[in-house]
Amino acid sequence: MKPMVQIRFRERVDTFSVDPKYATTAAPKVLWIELTSKCPFDCVFCTRRVRFGTGQNLSFDVFERVIAELDAPDFIGLNYSGESIYYPRLLDAIALAKSTGAFTELVTAFSTISKPLLQGIVESGLDRLAVSLHTMDPEQYRSIYRFGSLDLLKQRVADFFELRGASGSLCPRLDFCFVAMNENLDQLPHVVAYAKSVGVPEVSIHPLIGRHLVPHDFSKELRANRLRDEFKDELRSTISNVESRHPGFPINVLNPDLDTNPTLSRIPQYFAPFLPPNARIYSCDQSPFESVHILASGNVVVCEVHDEVSLGNLHSQSLREIWQGDAYRAFRQKYVVAEIPECRSCVWKFAYVPGEWTPSIDASHGASPQLLRGWHPYDASGSVWSKKRSVLALASPRAKTHVHLRGTLPHDPDCEVNQLSIECNRVPIGSVRNIGSSFLSFDQTFALADSDTIKHFEFVVEHLYRPYLRAEGKDGRDLGFALHRIELR
């Protein structure tokens, strides 16, 4: 394995810089696959009809080839601009996605789903079903969606919980997604109250995005393609009031632009404003090192912001050819040095001010840019949780012979043993085993097999842990191990 980064040494370690050639996975780990760009709904905020007209279905042959190329992906979302419940082979697509071991998700307007298809989805093994619900007012529902009805949606939600209850499973997890607009902010309390009443565990709020023009007037929410300060203030106030009325109920705002005090430091974190010259992009919600979007046309694009620029088409190329091709490599190189204007202004970027490389990472200080890939965002718990596979890099101007690792490894109630395997520069150096029935806190030191100054550590967890499926909270993440501290010695 080649080094994950390239560093030059003088009397001290040079300023940290990610080399995307080494930080990028061999194949995508996170995929959004648009099964169809067709949709009978005509939501007032949606750009689908303006951009794709009547739309088209993704060739199932293309879908099968994509799935065959993947190597233990983390996440597959079977949706983008269209309504996936109208894809002719949806259940087959879910089954193939699940066969990879990935967390599999579907977003839907839901109200017009047939009961037989709903039963098939409940039995499919799908992990998450995200239902778009933007109002509890029947008249407003018709004016927003311009198809279906609130009564139909409520009936299907009831059907879902009845079918899932009969199955004895906690999957799929059903959540609500609320697109926040000026005209429906007063409905957020009602949506949250309804969610609690039927057993929906959380509501995600997506403030309106002004990426493409639509006929509807959104001048109260947007100035150009950014949220107005007045709308952000009103949305923050509404959320605060709802949280006070429903304490403890998870309400997740999926737009960092609502942050009232964004700051830059050596710790990567969301930074919605335009990136200043001294800062760099570490990653984003749709990282070009791990994630990819596949459109129904077969076009492969980097993310939602860049979805009009195709880096290749799956009707003539394989996914790996595109993923490892010149166009993607050129994009990643510009990305890490912040030379792409759309990325510099994107609200979903993780940014940082580069500092010197370090021989240690202390997770209590927040996420480090040296956590190269395979890590969940820092959640202020004092730890950083990994996914199934994760990579970090440490460096020191003097060679070190040992690494000290402190963390937490979940148990596996089904297999009764869980193991964390550790490699340094592709050489196995040891493992941590949890043979108990609870989380294991460990504090161990491992000898290193070489004297290289640059150390690249890869961690592989045998069994992932999802608290939600264990009825141990509402956390739906796939957790590997919790990193507390790692240090070269």
Side-chain angles (χ1 to χ4, degrees), residues 78 89-100 102 104-106 113 116-129 160 163-164 167 169 171-173:
L78 297 174
R89 300 188 63 178
L90 175 59
L91 296 180
D92 293 334
I94 293 173
L96 273 178
K98 282 297 299 177
S99 71
T100 67
T104 304
E105 173 185 290
L106 183 69
I113 191 171
L117 179 58
L118 179 57
Q119 181 164 357
I121 289 175
V122 169
E123 297 171 352
S124 69
L126 185 76
D127 293 295
R128 180 176 183 244
L129 186 64
F160 169 85
L163 290 167
R164 197 184 70 174
S167 75
S169 173
C171 281
R173 171 187 171 120

Side-chain angles (χ1 to χ4, degrees), residues 219-235:
S219 58
K220 293 182 178 179
E221 295 91 345
L222 301 169
R223 178 180 289 109
N225 63 347
R226 300 300 289 248
L227 294 174
R228 286 184 175 273
D229 290 340
E230 300 85 353
F231 178 69
K232 289 193 286 187
D233 289 342
E234 189 174 358
L235 178 53

Side-chain angles (χ1 to χ4, degrees), residues 120-155:
I121 289 175
V122 169
E123 297 171 352
S124 69
L126 185 76
D127 293 295
R128 180 176 183 244
L129 186 64
V131 173
S132 299
L133 180 58
H134 317 306
T135 182
M136 295 304 298
D137 179 88
E139 290 296 326
Q140 190 177 53
Y141 184 98
R142 284 191 288 271
S143 69
I144 291 176
Y145 291 83
R146 299 188 282 205
F147 190 72
S149 74
L150 183 62
D151 286 342
L152 278 173
L153 182 136
K154 292 167 71 174
Q155 181 58 56

Side-chain angles (χ1 to χ4, degrees), residues 221-366:
E221 295 91 345
L222 301 169
R223 178 180 289 109
N225 63 347
R226 300 300 289 248
L227 294 174
R228 286 184 175 273
D229 290 340
E230 300 85 353
F231 178 69
K232 289 193 286 187
D233 289 342
E234 189 174 358
L235 178 53
R236 280 191 289 259
S237 175
T238 300
I239 293 170
S240 177
N241 290 335
V242 173
E243 288 176 333
S244 66
R245 293 166 62 177
H246 302 280
F249 184 84
I251 300 174
N252 302 315
V253 183
L254 303 181
N255 190 328
D257 201 15
L258 263 68
D259 188 351
T260 56
N261 187 32
T263 58
L264 280 170
S265 70
R266 294 186 179 181
I267 302 299
Q269 55 194 314
Y270 278 124
F271 188 75
F274 194 82
L275 197 68
N278 66 322
R280 292 291 181 266
I281 296 175
Y282 164 70
S283 186
C284 57
D285 282 2
Q286 297 168 19
S287 162
F289 306 130
E290 295 183 280
S291 70
V292 71
H293 278 68
I294 296 171
L295 305 186
S297 63
N299 284 340
V300 174
V301 300
V302 173
C303 65
E304 295 178 47
V305 174
H306 295 278
D307 66 358
E308 294 181 341
V309 180
S310 174
L311 300 185
N313 188 281
L314 294 167
H315 290 282
S316 57
Q317 298 169 274
S318 71
L319 178 60
R320 290 204 181 205
E321 285 174 340
I322 298 170
W323 180 250
Q324 299 169 1
D326 291 342
Y328 239 125
R329 287 201 299 268
F331 180 91
R332 295 181 187 113
Q333 188 60 55
K334 292 180 179 179
Y335 177 87
V336 296
V337 295
E339 290 183 355
I340 304 171
E342 295 87 351
C343 295
R344 294 181 68 88
S345 62
C346 179
V347 302
W348 287 278
K349 62 185 176 292
F350 286 86
Y352 69 102
V353 177
E356 293 180 4
W357 275 82
T358 66
S360 65
I361 296 173
D362 190 329
S364 66
H365 299 157

Side-chain angles (χ1 to χ4, degrees), residues 75 116 126 145 173 180 193 208 212 222 258 280 390 405-406 427:
F75 171 91
L126 185 76
Y145 291 83
R173 171 187 171 120
L208 189 71
H212 302 284
L222 301 169
L258 263 68
R280 292 291 181 266
S390 53
L405 178 65
R406 183 161 53 87
V427 177

